[in-house]
Amino acid sequence: MKILFSNYHHYLNTNSRNSLIYKNLTQLFKRRLFLPVCVLIGTVALVSGCSEKTSEHQKKYSILVMSKEHVQYVIQTDTLDGGTIDPIKTGASVLSPKRIWFYMMVKNGNYFYINRKTDYFVRNRIIDNQFTPIDSLHLPDMRDLENYNWYHPDSLLIISYPGKMKSPLYARINTTTMTATTGVLQLPIPYAPFNNMTVGFSEFSKDKLWVGYTYHKSSPEGYGSSDTVYVANLNYPSMSLNKVFKDSRSTYPGSVNTSEETAFRDEKNDFYYLSCPGFARGGNPQQSTAIYRIKAGENEPDSSYFFNISASSIANHAYGMWYIGNNKAIVRSERKELFKTFEDHYMKPHMEFYEVDLTTKAVHKLALPLDKGTSRTCVLSENGLVYISVNSDTEGNYIWVYNPKTKSLKKGLKLEGDVDYIFRLEKLYN
């Protein structure tokens, strides 16, 4: 993948009020948002000529794609059920950062990410069809984002591992005021032979915080994970550690939720999470992919619940899981006979989608084309329907519409043009 360079475009909405212009400019400088000097100069020159654009119609969905030239584009739309769009021709290009598809967070029309070069948490919007930075917050050593959790409409928890055999760091961010409380997550540090660790999920429960994690070892000889799922129970808001629960039936609970969802709560407020020991995540493929549960109001994981995905008719490792209601979830799994290398895993179509029943553990394969891309935010459930983006080399790039009641599938929105991957499919406002 070729290197992409920064090309920020800046815009300020004046609302015909000079006081707001200068207030916005002052806030940008105070927050030390990293913009090229030439862009800031251009901003001042353009302020008097800007029209009111932020009052334009708010779209419902956001789709992030990558072209075959390895350029990312964001396009917003009101419908997923049909029609055609060309994100390359009509979308907003995202020239930096180059891997934003792996760690972008979408909320209320905003696009958030960590600038890994500067340690700034940046808020963007699409303005005049430009991916536009409008605010930022400095979060030192938080560049390697592993997990995020919207626990209130404007409150975001992010967790990052700083390396150097330390415990993970956290930041609780108010995304309206762009202020944060930061600290160290009091988890046991990596131990030999492991030299790093990842936090796969976080979930608030009244005055407690559940955190799933595991340890990894990486060297020139290869990569692998411990053979254990670790689940920590912490006090909130003190973030002090209560207890760590261990389960050696699998490893890597939650995986990387910035790129692919793996945990949720159901209607009864029970919390489910997927473990990801497979080749592309945990590097421990001899263990089983499984779904675990923490029942509502309980103070420990439900040791009696273990949905062994690898031992089911899926018979493979999975990396994504999305709740669709009525005790059902969509699981995205690999076909191990169709790839050999990690590059194959990313490039070759070999991923399948299954509907699983969390209660009966029944499995239903969806009749979709083979999908490609190891990490994708690709399932969205709304109004009784499930929208699934599929990158198919044979049938094109579509948002498919699945009806769980009738078990029917149909093609919805078509993404035309030079699209290689549909990386993210998300609601803009939720």
Side-chain angles (χ1 to χ4, degrees):
M1 188 176 295
K2 62 186 180 184
I3 297 175
L4 304 175
F5 295 94
S6 297
N7 185 25
Y8 286 122
H9 298 276
H10 183 69
Y11 175 92
L12 282 177
N13 172 35
T14 67
N15 289 326
S16 301
R17 292 182 294 180
N18 290 333
S19 60
L20 181 59
I21 293 170
Y22 290 113
K23 180 181 178 181
N24 287 344
L25 285 171
T26 300
Q27 287 176 342
L28 283 174
F29 281 109
K30 281 183 177 179
R31 301 208 186 276
R32 297 167 58 196
L33 180 63
F34 283 102
L35 294 172
V37 173
C38 61
V39 176
L40 286 175
I41 293 172
T43 296
V44 177
L46 287 170
V47 160
S48 61
C50 289
S51 58
E52 190 170 329
K53 295 293 183 182
T54 54
S55 61
E56 63 189 20
H57 171 68
Q58 294 176 344
K59 298 295 179 70
K60 294 181 180 179
Y61 311 104
S62 174
I63 302 173
L64 175 74
V65 308
M66 187 171 72
S67 72
K68 294 177 182 177
E69 298 299 319
H70 307 302
V71 180
Q72 297 165 113
Y73 296 85
V74 174
I75 193 162
Q76 299 177 349
T77 180
D78 276 327
T79 182
L80 302 174
D81 294 276
T84 301
I85 56 174
D86 188 328
I88 311 302
K89 289 183 178 180
T90 61
S93 62
V94 184
L95 299 181
S96 178
K98 65 178 183 178
R99 294 182 74 243
I100 195 172
W101 54 267
F102 198 74
Y103 48 82
M104 186 168 73
M105 296 156 280
V106 178
K107 190 76 170 179
N108 296 331
N110 297 297
Y111 298 85
F112 298 92
Y113 67 91
I114 292 283
N115 186 318
R116 301 183 73 241
K117 293 182 179 180
T118 64
D119 289 355
Y120 269 73
F121 177 76
V122 186
R123 178 162 69 99
N124 287 256
R125 290 185 76 89
I126 304 298
I127 302 176
D128 278 351
N129 208 33
Q130 302 290 333
F131 191 72
T132 306
I134 58 176
D135 210 344
S136 71
L137 171 66
H138 195 212
L139 297 174
D141 298 321
M142 295 289 292
R143 65 184 65 90
D144 291 316
L145 185 61
E146 297 168 353
N147 180 268
Y148 77 103
N149 187 335
W150 292 100
Y151 59 103
H152 289 300
D154 62 353
S155 298
L156 173 67
L157 172 72
I158 61 172
I159 298 173
S160 175
Y161 181 64
K164 301 179 182 179
M165 302 290 284
K166 295 182 178 179
S167 294
L169 304 177
Y170 72 86
R172 300 201 310 267
I173 305 168
N174 184 311
T175 56
T176 299
T177 62
M178 290 295 277
T179 56
T181 300
T182 61
V184 177
L185 208 58
Q186 300 297 329
L187 301 179
I189 64 174
Y191 56 93
F194 306 106
N195 54 13
N196 62 80
M197 64 187 294
T198 55
V199 172
F201 74 77
S202 60
E203 183 66 16
F204 290 92
S205 179
K206 295 183 179 179
D207 59 347
K208 297 292 188 291
L209 173 67
W210 292 101
V211 173
Y213 66 97
T214 198
Y215 300 99
H216 308 285
K217 54 185 177 182
S218 55
S219 69
E221 287 72 43
Y223 166 84
S225 302
S226 72
D227 60 357
T228 303
V229 166
Y230 296 88
V231 177
N233 181 283
L234 298 96
N235 294 308
Y236 177 77
S238 69
M239 308 295 269
S240 59
L241 180 63
N242 280 325
K243 187 175 181 179
V244 175
F245 301 90
K246 303 177 183 180
D247 191 310
S248 60
R249 290 175 290 182
S250 189
T251 190
Y252 208 162
S255 188
V256 184
N257 85 328
T258 55
S259 63
E260 198 160 28
E261 188 175 325
T262 53
F264 52 77
R265 285 190 180 273
D266 68 5
E267 292 89 347
K268 294 186 294 186
N269 219 26
D270 292 342
F271 178 66
Y272 292 84
Y273 52 95
L274 183 76
S275 63
C276 300
F279 169 82
R281 281 289 177 262
N284 243 355
Q286 69 273 14
Q287 289 185 287
S288 296
T289 291
I291 301 174
Y292 289 83
R293 178 174 69 187
I294 301 174
K295 299 190 76 172
E298 295 296 320
N299 291 318
E300 60 183 59
D302 182 359
S303 59
S304 68
Y305 187 88
F306 187 76
F307 188 167
N308 192 326
I309 294 297
S310 300
S312 73
S313 60
I314 296 175
N316 278 296
H317 287 295
Y319 302 95
M321 181 177 71
W322 296 263
Y323 191 58
I324 62 173
N326 300 314
N327 299 313
K328 304 289 200 312
I330 299 295
V331 167
R332 185 172 183 260
S333 65
E334 67 189 14
R335 285 271 298 275
K336 57 188 175 184
E337 74 276 12
L338 297 180
F339 68 90
K340 294 182 179 179
T341 66
F342 188 79
E343 184 179 30
D344 285 347
H345 206 281
Y346 177 78
M347 300 288 290
K348 289 187 176 181
H350 73 282
M351 301 296 256
E352 298 179 324
F353 294 88
Y354 290 83
E355 179 189 79
V356 299
D357 189 308
L358 299 167
T359 303
T360 67
K361 299 181 181 177
V363 173
H364 168 66
K365 182 179 178 181
L366 302 189
L368 290 167
L370 288 175
D371 191 24
K372 66 180 180 182
T374 298
S375 302
R376 298 208 305 110
T377 299
C378 54
V379 178
L380 188 157
S381 181
E382 187 175 56
N383 299 325
L385 297 176
V386 182
Y387 299 92
I388 305 171
S389 70
V390 178
N391 302 302
S392 173
D393 289 349
T394 57
E395 295 195 40
N397 297 304
Y398 280 90
I399 310 298
W400 288 75
V401 186
Y402 175 60
N403 187 327
K405 290 184 178 180
T406 62
K407 305 294 185 187
S408 61
L409 274 164
K410 67 174 184 178
K411 289 180 177 177
L413 180 65
K414 181 180 181 180
L415 278 68
E416 285 191 330
D418 195 29
V419 174
D420 202 13
Y421 290 92
I422 312 170
F423 275 128
R424 305 188 73 95
L425 167 64
E426 292 160 294
K427 295 179 184 178
L428 269 168
Y429 296 87
N430 48 34

